[in-house]
Amino acid sequence: MIKVSGLKKAFKNTEVLKDINFEVKDGETVVIIGPSGSGKSTLLRCLNYLEKPDAGLIDIGDVSANTERVKKPTINKLRMQTSMVFQHYNLFKNKTVLGNITYPLTASKKFKKEEAVEIGEKLLGQVGILDKSKQYPVALSGGQQQRVGIARALAADPHAILFDEPTSSLDPEWVGEVLKVISDISKKEKTMIIVTHEMDFAKEIADRVIFMADGHIVEEGTPEEIFDNPENERTRKFLRKYTNHSGSIEEETIEPELVTV
Amino acid sequence: MNFDIGYMIEILPQLLVYIPITLYLAIVSMIIAVVIGGVLSLILVNRTPVAVQLSKLYISFFRGTPVLVQLLMIYFGLPQLFPWLNSISAVNAAIIAFSFNTSAYLAEIFRAALTSVDKGQTEAAISTGLTYHQAVWGIVLPQAVRNAVPATGNMFIGLIKNSSLAFTIGVTELLAQGKLLATATLQFFEAYLAVGIIYWGMTILYSWMQKWYEAKINKPYEA
């Protein structure tokens, strides 16, 4: 389980996270939505300690950290509790696809080479990319790279996986295959927090949805509550914009002859 | 026109035997320069307080003054300040001067190579549970080396040629021997052309080796 209370983070004079409180139960899939600059990514990065929070408590699994006076060994333990899937994949360019998964296992987790290879090949099979295991990341499409990124995040068997806009830099044709892999993992009762702009995907996969704006959690609830009956005006406004963006043409009356391509 | 190609070919063997001393000067200086430059670049990248100011001063001085001045300063000037350096050999003085000079340039090359590795690589490494140290050695450094090889190779070629300056403090290397032959027979052009061709040959050979190495380390990055 993940428990965050009073989390704060500022960059210079800009407060990006203002007193964030939330919980994620084991096996739960939580989707965070919200406008750009609302602090969603920073929140994930604080959980993984890629950013150092200014204040607040973070409990993940059996590690708890008071971010104001946490020491290095605790930070390392906390970091091991989660792993991250990045918007830009960030695969190790100097390692093969398989090496991307086995290197962290052998270098830090003290796995034997054969064990690491076994884990790596199993996971690459799961994300459907085993045939590329000897290739280098540069030879893969964006979608394939992100699937490797997901396999790498799974390899260490962390308490939770954090997805930071996993499909935002993908060409539209690759989005589907990545979302499918994520949704397969979610069915396996893995604890996950996903920051995404894919609203249909969020609706389908989330056990719970959190809407963030201006460094606050504005509203949270089941997908039905948030998408169908949002209580807060900010949430309504945000979702209205999004449904307009994805072009729900049927709701607007457009004269067919005016539609040009 | 008076050009004796027969003489030039005749003296080649007498010059070729000085290749080892020239290569010795260049290679040993390069190894020391890589070590010093590597340390300096890490200081620059991590902005270690105090050390970073001292490093910048060092780099500024050794890039900002002629290598010949540095060579003379180290060989003739240092023993005046530190009498125990009186016994320093000309070869060692040359190696010190060349490696200090080259290290100042390499520090900047390495710094640029390190910072050009995408920050996401370090973040991904750390988020998979690697320590900062492991991230740097296993992920960042190999990519930085690839970025640094072309410019570092240029520095080495420069070093092979600059090693000829060692003759000014009495090291008998390739150029010094050429000068000797030239003044003995007064066939200056033949002697110096022979010397030039030998330097040229060495740099061409080295360029081939570097090309082969670059092709090898670039393989993972080519689709």
Side-chain angles (χ1 to χ4, degrees):
Chain A
M1 124 144 176
I2 300 175
K3 188 167 183 242
V4 171
S5 41
L7 194 70
K8 285 179 189 163
K9 173 73 188 172
F11 292 110
K12 302 233 166 94
N13 295 322
T14 316
E15 278 185 86
V16 182
L17 297 177
K18 307 165 185 166
D19 194 24
I20 298 286
N21 301 283
F22 72 97
E23 283 184 31
V24 179
K25 292 195 266 309
D26 285 346
E28 198 177 19
T29 300
V30 170
V31 172
I32 305 179
I33 58 171
S36 298
S38 57
K40 311 178 298 285
S41 288
T42 306
L43 174 57
L44 282 197
R45 293 168 60 84
C46 281
L47 293 182
N48 199 234
Y49 245 86
L50 290 176
E51 303 289 352
K52 194 197 164 309
D54 298 327
L57 305 173
I58 301 177
D59 292 339
I60 304 175
D62 48 9
V63 180
S64 52
N66 179 339
T67 58
E68 275 173 281
R69 52 190 135 108
V70 64
K71 296 257 161 43
K72 229 179 177 178
T74 316
I75 292 179
N76 286 339
K77 268 193 233 154
L78 187 73
R79 210 174 251 151
M80 306 282 252
Q81 297 293 308
T82 56
S83 56
M84 191 96 162
V85 174
F86 296 89
Q87 181 182 351
H88 300 288
Y89 338 127
N90 293 356
L91 294 188
F92 306 135
K93 290 180 190 156
N94 59 325
K95 301 276 179 201
T96 61
V97 164
L98 185 62
N100 261 272
I101 302 176
T102 56
Y103 178 71
L105 293 177
T106 50
S108 73
K109 303 272 167 31
K110 316 292 176 219
F111 275 89
K112 286 207 192 76
K113 185 87 210 268
E114 309 83 68
E115 294 172 327
V117 168
E118 199 180 310
I119 293 172
E121 287 181 339
K122 198 182 121 213
L123 287 168
L124 287 175
Q126 257 180 49
V127 299
I129 210 156
L130 188 55
D131 54 323
K132 305 265 181 198
S133 69
K134 298 267 187 313
Q135 306 229 27
Y136 285 90
V138 71
L140 272 59
S141 75
Q144 290 169 331
Q145 290 198 44
Q146 192 58 298
R147 276 145 66 193
V148 177
I150 294 170
R152 179 176 68 182
L154 285 167
D157 194 25
H159 187 82
I161 300 180
L162 314 172
F163 294 82
D164 186 7
E165 303 198 22
T167 58
S168 296
S169 33
L170 288 175
D171 287 340
E173 52 180 321
W174 309 124
V175 171
E177 64 183 50
V178 171
L179 293 183
K180 178 163 186 317
V181 167
I182 298 175
S183 121
D184 286 348
I185 302 165
S186 139
K187 284 181 194 123
K188 289 186 180 129
E189 303 291 301
K190 206 77 199 147
T191 310
M192 314 203 293
I193 303 180
I194 306 171
V195 169
T196 186
H197 290 293
E198 300 282 339
M199 294 304 153
D200 291 333
F201 172 68
K203 215 183 274 186
E204 180 193 308
I205 195 177
D207 296 315
R208 208 144 46 81
V209 177
I210 291 177
F211 172 69
M212 274 181 80
D214 289 328
H216 290 290
I217 291 182
V218 175
E219 191 171 352
E220 58 176 288
T222 64
E224 293 75 30
E225 286 168 344
I226 299 293
F227 287 109
D228 302 338
N229 291 304
E231 280 174 15
N232 194 292
E233 180 52 34
R234 300 275 300 269
T235 321
R236 275 199 287 271
K237 229 168 134 187
F238 172 77
L239 289 172
R240 219 165 23 235
K241 245 189 201 160
Y242 247 92
T243 35
N244 281 349
H245 261 284
S246 53
S248 43
I249 297 171
E250 64 275 8
E251 285 173 18
E252 294 163 56
T253 39
I254 298 173
E255 294 296 320
E257 59 266 28
L258 292 179
V259 178
T260 48
V261 182
Chain B
M1 206 168 89
N2 177 16
F3 176 65
D4 185 353
I5 192 156
Y7 174 71
M8 198 182 92
I9 292 166
E10 192 188 307
I11 60 169
L12 270 179
Q14 294 174 62
L15 290 170
L16 288 174
V17 293
Y18 285 89
I19 287 179
I21 175 72
T22 287
L23 284 181
Y24 173 77
L25 285 172
I27 291 171
V28 174
S29 302
M30 190 67 187
I31 291 169
I32 298 171
V34 165
V35 173
I36 300 176
V39 172
L40 290 174
S41 70
L42 287 176
I43 292 171
L44 292 178
V45 169
N46 290 320
R47 297 194 192 88
T48 320
V50 187
V52 72
Q53 281 83 11
L54 291 173
S55 304
K56 280 181 179 166
L57 184 68
Y58 173 98
I59 292 166
S60 170
F61 178 78
F62 282 101
R63 286 208 304 185
T65 53
V67 64
L68 186 53
V69 172
Q70 294 161 17
L71 186 65
L72 297 172
M73 227 174 50
I74 286 168
Y75 187 56
F76 296 111
L78 277 191
Q80 182 189 329
L81 295 181
F82 308 103
W84 53 273
L85 280 174
N86 243 329
S87 56
I88 190 168
S89 72
V91 169
N92 287 343
I95 286 174
I96 292 173
F98 295 149
S99 51
F100 282 13
N101 181 265
T102 308
S103 71
Y105 289 91
L106 287 182
E108 287 294 340
I109 291 171
F110 293 168
R111 182 194 57 77
L114 282 168
T115 50
S116 68
V117 176
D118 181 17
K119 214 176 127 229
Q121 296 283 306
T122 319
E123 291 190 345
I126 285 172
S127 88
T128 54
L130 297 175
T131 62
Y132 181 70
H133 195 77
Q134 288 167 329
V136 169
W137 278 100
I139 305 298
V140 177
L141 219 53
Q143 297 184 44
V145 165
R146 169 179 172 256
N147 296 339
V149 162
T152 307
N154 270 344
M155 290 307 300
F156 183 64
I157 287 175
L159 197 46
I160 291 178
K161 295 177 296 172
N162 274 347
S163 70
S164 61
L165 289 172
F167 95 92
T168 56
I169 57 168
V171 179
T172 318
E173 41 66 72
L174 187 52
L175 176 60
Q177 177 65 12
K179 199 168 141 63
L180 224 63
L181 291 168
T183 42
T185 61
L186 299 182
Q187 289 180 295
F188 295 101
F189 189 72
E190 290 85 348
Y192 289 131
L193 182 61
V195 168
I197 285 172
I198 293 173
Y199 278 113
W200 192 13
M202 283 194 284
T203 57
I204 286 175
L205 267 178
Y206 171 75
S207 301
W208 282 345
M209 280 161 58
Q210 181 173 330
K211 220 181 217 168
W212 168 83
Y213 181 63
E214 279 182 32
K216 193 178 119 136
I217 60 171
N218 278 335
K219 235 177 224 154
Y221 304 89
E222 284 156 4

